[in-house]
Amino acid sequence: MCGIAGLAEPVPVADPAGLRAIAEAMTATQIPRGPDAGGVWHDERAALGHRRLAVIDIDGGVQPMLAGSEGTRTVLSYSGEVYNHHELRAELRSRGHRFDTRSDTEVVLAAYREWGIAALDRLEGMFAFAVWDQPTGRLVMGRDRLGVKPLYWARTPTGGVAFGSEPKALFAHPGIDPVVDVESLREGYSLLFSTWPGIYADVHEVEPGGWLVADADGVRTGRYWELELHEHTDTSEATAERVAALVERAARSRLEADVEICSLLSGGLDSSVVTAFAAAELRDRRGPDAVLRSYAVDYADQAREFTGDVLRTGHDTPYAAEAGAHIGTDHSVTVLDPAALLDLEHRRAVVAARDSPIGVGDMDTSLYLLFGRIREHSTVALSGEAADEVFGGYPWFHAERPRAAATFPWLLVTGDDAAVPLHPDLAAAMRITEFRADTYAGALAAVPHLDDESPEQHRSRELQHLSLTRWVRQLLHRKDRLSMAHGLEVRVPYCDHRLVEYAFSVPWSEQTRDGREKSLLRNAGAKHLPESVLWRAKNHYPATHDPGYTTGLQELARDALTVDGVTDVVDRTRIDPLLDAPAEGLDWGTRLRLERVVDLALWLDHARPDLRI
C-alpha cells in the first residue's frame, strides 16, 4: 500500500524541472501512506511521484517503475495489492515478458504494456494507479472495482490533470486551491455518498471500477466494471457452499506479505469469520504453531456505562476475547479513556487524515488510535468491512420503516441526517431535500432487477445495491485514511468482487434462510466460531458511553463555535441547547452534532479552505 501523486500536461512545458518540483511537493504530502521510500520521475509533459509502504518484495518494488527505452517509456505509480499477480506473471511470461522482481507492481506494469487499459479487467484486488504512456502521450488511471483504494484528480490551470491518493496532494499544486462552495457542501452534508464524504469543489474521484485517460484531446472517463445481476440457479446447498468457498478464498488470498500481518477482531460475525480463515491459512503456510495477532478496541468503563441503541446491541470485548481464544489468536485490546478521545492533537490528526470535517467523532479518533497501536507490531491488517453490505446485515434491510421509505435508508436509521444542523440561509441555498429526492431517483434507476421478482425481493435488491455502491464508500474512505495515516495497510476480503457479484444475485430468501440477517455468512463460519459469536446480533463499531466524554465534548464544541466560519455553516439555535444539557441525556446521534461542530472548526483551521458560501 502506498501513496501516489503527479500531473500531466497536454503539451510539453518550457520548464520540465518545474513539473518535477510540483510533483515532489505533491508526493511529500503522501509520506504517511508510504514511509519506507519515495521517488519522482518526470519528462517534459508529466511527472509521477510515489511513496512506498513496502509489503511485498521489500527490495524489488521501487517506484515509479519504468519499462521501455528512453522516449518510449511506460511509467507506473501504483498503490495497492493485486492478489492474482502470480497467475498474471505466468501468463505474461508466456507472452514474452521478463520480470526482475517478485513485486505485483511489475506485473501491473507489464499487464498495461500487454493489454493497455483492458488490463484492468484482469486485476483482482485493491488498487489505484497512474501510468504515463510516453508513446501515446497519455496519462491513464484506474481504480479497483469496489473503490477500496482512493484516487482523486483535478484539472490544472493549464488544462492538464493532477492526481493523488488524497485531496491534500492536489492542493500542493500551486494552481489548485481548496475551494468550498454551496454545491460541494451539499454533496458532503447530504450524506448520500455519491462520492467520498468530501466537500471540495472541482475535486473528482476516479470512480470505483473506473478509469480516466487524459491527453492532448482532453479528459475521458469510463467504467470497466459495474455491479450486475444474473439469474441465480444454484440450489440452497450449492449456494451456501459457494459463498463459504468464496469467503474463505478471499480471506486466504489476502495473507501474502513479507511483513507482519494481523486481523481486526471485534467479536462480531464478520471479523471473526475473516480471522478464523486467516488463522487457519497462516498455520497451513507456516506450520501448526503459527499464531495470528488480533486486535480490538474498547473504552474505559464501557462495561459499566454501556447502553444499547439501534446500532449497538452489546459490549464487544467479551465476544472478541472468546472468538480469539476459540480461533487461537494472540489477541489484545486497546483501551481508551475520555482524555485520549478528547485530545485535540488526536482529533486534528484525524481531520487532517480525512481531508474532511464529516466524520463520526470518537469512533474516528478511537480507530485512529487503535491503528497507531497496531502499527507498532504489524504492517498489514485484515478487516471485516463490507460484510453487512454484501450479506444484508444492516437494520435498514429488515426494519419496516426504511424498507418502505422513499429515501436512502441510512438517513432513517443512523441518526446522521440531523448530525449537522445547517445554518438556515445555507440550508435554503443547498436545497438538500430536493437534491436527495433527485439523487435517490437516479440511484434507484441504476439498480438492476429480474422480471419475476417479488416486492420483497425487489426492495431488498435496491437496498443492497444502494449499500454496495454508496454507503460502503464512506466506510472504505474512513478505514483507508485512518489506517494509512499510520502507514498501516488494511485489506478487505468482503470486497472481493467475485464474492460481491455472486452474493448480489442470490435471492433474499436465501440471504435470510435461517430467519436472521447474514444467513450465508453464518453458514460459512459455522464450523469455525463459538455459538455465542456465530449467533450474535449485528453490532456497529463501538462508541464511548462515558458521560465524562460528553461533558468534555460540550466544552470543545463551545470553543469551536468561536472559530471563524463555523457559524456560517451550522445553526447555533440548534447547537446551543446541547452545550448545557445533562451529559447522560445526550444519545449518540444527538452527540454527533457536537462532534461535527468540533471537527468543522478543526478542519477550517487546518485546511484553510476558500469558503464561497
Side-chain angles (χ1 to χ4, degrees):
M1 199 62 59
C2 307
I4 68 175
L7 68 159
E9 295 295 342
V11 296
V13 300
D15 179 22
L19 284 183
R20 181 182 183 91
I22 293 172
E24 287 175 341
M26 295 175 67
T27 304
T29 69
Q30 307 292 271
I31 288 175
R33 299 186 69 91
D36 296 328
V40 173
W41 176 94
H42 80 286
D43 65 8
E44 71 281 359
R45 282 187 55 190
L48 275 65
H50 189 266
R51 290 298 314 184
R52 187 179 185 212
L53 178 65
V55 172
I56 296 175
D57 191 2
I58 305 302
D59 297 324
V62 176
Q63 297 187 54
M65 188 172 282
L66 313 179
S69 57
E70 186 69 31
T72 61
R73 298 279 195 202
T74 308
V75 187
L76 172 69
S77 187
Y78 157 77
S79 170
E81 307 291 348
V82 169
Y83 303 119
N84 65 329
H85 70 98
H86 295 293
E87 297 90 334
L88 287 173
R89 187 189 306 269
E91 181 178 358
L92 288 162
R93 274 187 174 139
S94 73
R95 292 172 174 264
H97 292 266
R98 297 180 58 187
F99 294 90
D100 298 318
T101 75
R102 294 186 297 107
S103 72
D104 57 334
T105 303
E106 191 175 14
V107 172
V108 173
L109 179 58
Y112 176 81
R113 287 173 65 81
E114 178 68 28
W115 297 300
I117 201 167
L120 284 163
D121 285 315
R122 297 172 176 264
L123 305 181
E124 299 175 3
M126 57 179 191
F127 55 84
F129 66 76
V131 169
W132 176 242
D133 192 332
Q134 266 191 336
T136 62
R138 288 176 179 169
L139 177 70
V140 179
M141 294 191 281
R143 190 176 178 200
D144 68 73
R145 294 165 179 82
L146 273 294
V148 181
K149 289 294 100 187
L151 185 53
Y152 302 101
W153 66 278
R155 299 302 299 261
T156 68
T158 50
V161 168
F163 66 89
S165 294
E166 299 176 1
K168 59 176 64 68
L170 303 178
F171 302 138
H173 189 293
I176 303 174
D177 296 320
V179 175
V180 176
D181 59 21
V182 170
E183 287 73 23
S184 61
L185 275 177
R186 180 179 64 191
E187 181 66 53
Y189 281 116
S190 65
L191 305 173
L192 306 187
F193 313 119
S194 302
T195 60
W196 67 296
I199 55 178
Y200 296 108
D202 301 320
V203 170
H204 313 280
E205 280 190 295
V206 174
E207 287 292 303
W211 53 263
L212 178 147
V213 173
D215 55 23
D217 295 326
V219 175
R220 300 176 298 284
T221 61
R223 303 288 291 271
Y224 68 94
W225 183 87
E226 290 184 283
L227 189 57
E228 296 180 348
L229 177 61
H230 303 284
E231 189 77 37
H232 187 78
T233 58
D234 290 349
T235 65
S236 293
E237 292 71 21
T239 298
E241 291 174 2
R242 176 67 171 154
V243 167
L246 285 168
V247 172
E248 182 173 9
R249 184 181 187 277
R252 289 175 178 262
S253 69
R254 281 153 178 78
L255 271 183
E256 183 179 4
D258 295 333
V259 293
E260 188 66 28
I261 196 165
C262 69
S263 181
L264 306 176
L265 179 60
S266 69
L269 177 65
D270 311 345
S271 63
S272 298
V273 170
V274 165
T275 301
F277 286 142
E281 176 69 8
L282 201 67
R283 289 190 290 269
D284 288 346
R285 294 184 183 188
R286 300 181 185 176
D289 295 330
V291 177
L292 181 71
R293 288 179 181 264
S294 61
Y295 295 88
V297 70
D298 200 5
Y299 304 101
D301 301 319
Q302 182 80 333
R304 185 183 70 242
E305 301 288 354
F306 179 84
T307 54
D309 58 34
V310 68
L311 296 176
R312 299 169 190 86
T313 58
H315 185 203
D316 279 335
T317 296
Y319 293 94
E322 185 178 2
H326 186 92
I327 296 166
T329 68
D330 178 7
H331 187 66
S332 62
V333 182
T334 295
V335 180
L336 303 173
D337 60 23
L341 298 170
L342 291 166
D343 188 300
L344 281 178
E345 290 308 308
H346 294 156
R347 298 187 74 111
R348 285 192 186 98
V350 168
V351 169
R354 279 199 323 248
D355 280 313
S356 169
I358 305 172
V360 283
D362 64 300
M363 293 165 59
D364 281 349
T365 309
S366 68
L367 189 62
Y368 171 82
L369 295 172
L370 172 64
F371 285 151
R373 186 69 56 84
I374 292 172
R375 189 62 174 90
E376 295 172 6
H377 304 286
S378 301
T379 306
V380 176
L382 302 186
S383 169
E385 204 78 81
D388 288 302
E389 289 80 3
V390 174
F391 294 109
Y394 287 119
W396 56 75
F397 284 97
H398 310 278
E400 182 178 349
R401 183 177 176 226
R403 285 187 67 88
T407 190
F408 293 94
W410 48 86
L411 298 176
L412 305 177
V413 175
T414 64
D416 242 9
D417 191 19
V420 178
L422 296 168
H423 189 285
D425 294 341
L426 178 60
M430 290 166 68
R431 301 168 64 194
I432 280 187
T433 299
E434 180 180 341
F435 178 68
R436 281 176 171 158
D438 292 344
T439 306
Y440 182 69
L444 288 191
V447 181
H449 290 287
L450 299 176
D451 292 338
D452 58 349
E453 286 181 347
S454 68
E456 180 186 37
Q457 175 63 73
H458 189 93
R459 182 54 175 163
S460 297
R461 192 87 68 196
E462 291 176 342
L463 294 171
Q464 195 170 14
H465 194 275
L466 293 173
S467 298
L468 283 166
T469 60
R470 289 175 177 270
W471 173 259
V472 77
R473 294 175 76 148
Q474 51 92 21
L475 297 179
L476 295 173
H477 161 267
R478 172 177 179 256
K479 192 139 286 183
D480 173 84
R481 296 305 183 283
L482 300 182
S483 61
M484 293 306 290
H486 294 286
L488 175 71
E489 175 181 304
V490 175
R491 299 178 179 176
V492 194
Y494 293 117
C495 283
D496 186 292
H497 73 277
R498 291 154 302 190
L499 171 62
V500 172
E501 289 171 342
Y502 185 81
F504 183 64
S505 293
V506 173
W508 188 242
S509 58
E510 291 294 328
Q511 297 274 17
T512 55
R513 60 186 300 188
D514 60 12
R516 290 280 304 276
E517 75 288 346
K518 294 188 287 193
S519 302
L520 292 171
L521 183 58
R522 187 172 297 104
N523 174 79
K527 298 178 181 179
H528 309 281
L529 303 179
E531 288 290 309
S532 61
V533 173
L534 191 67
W535 291 97
R536 188 183 177 204
K538 162 67 184 172
N539 205 51
H540 203 64
Y541 184 90
T544 183
H545 295 264
D546 192 321
Y549 174 79
T550 303
T551 300
L553 180 64
Q554 288 171 314
E555 292 306 310
L556 293 182
R558 196 185 309 276
D559 292 340
L561 288 169
T562 67
V563 173
D564 287 346
V566 170
T567 54
D568 294 331
V569 176
V570 305
D571 183 358
R572 283 205 65 156
T573 66
R574 298 175 65 189
I575 296 296
D576 285 347
L578 306 180
L579 300 177
D580 298 308
E584 60 276 9
L586 295 182
D587 61 23
W588 180 81
T590 304
R591 192 181 76 190
L592 189 55
R593 301 183 192 182
L594 299 179
E595 301 273 20
R596 288 195 173 147
V597 168
V598 173
D599 285 356
L600 175 62
L602 293 172
W603 173 75
L604 288 169
D605 182 65
H606 168 77
R608 302 298 172 104
D610 180 1
L611 273 178
R612 300 178 183 177
I613 59 175

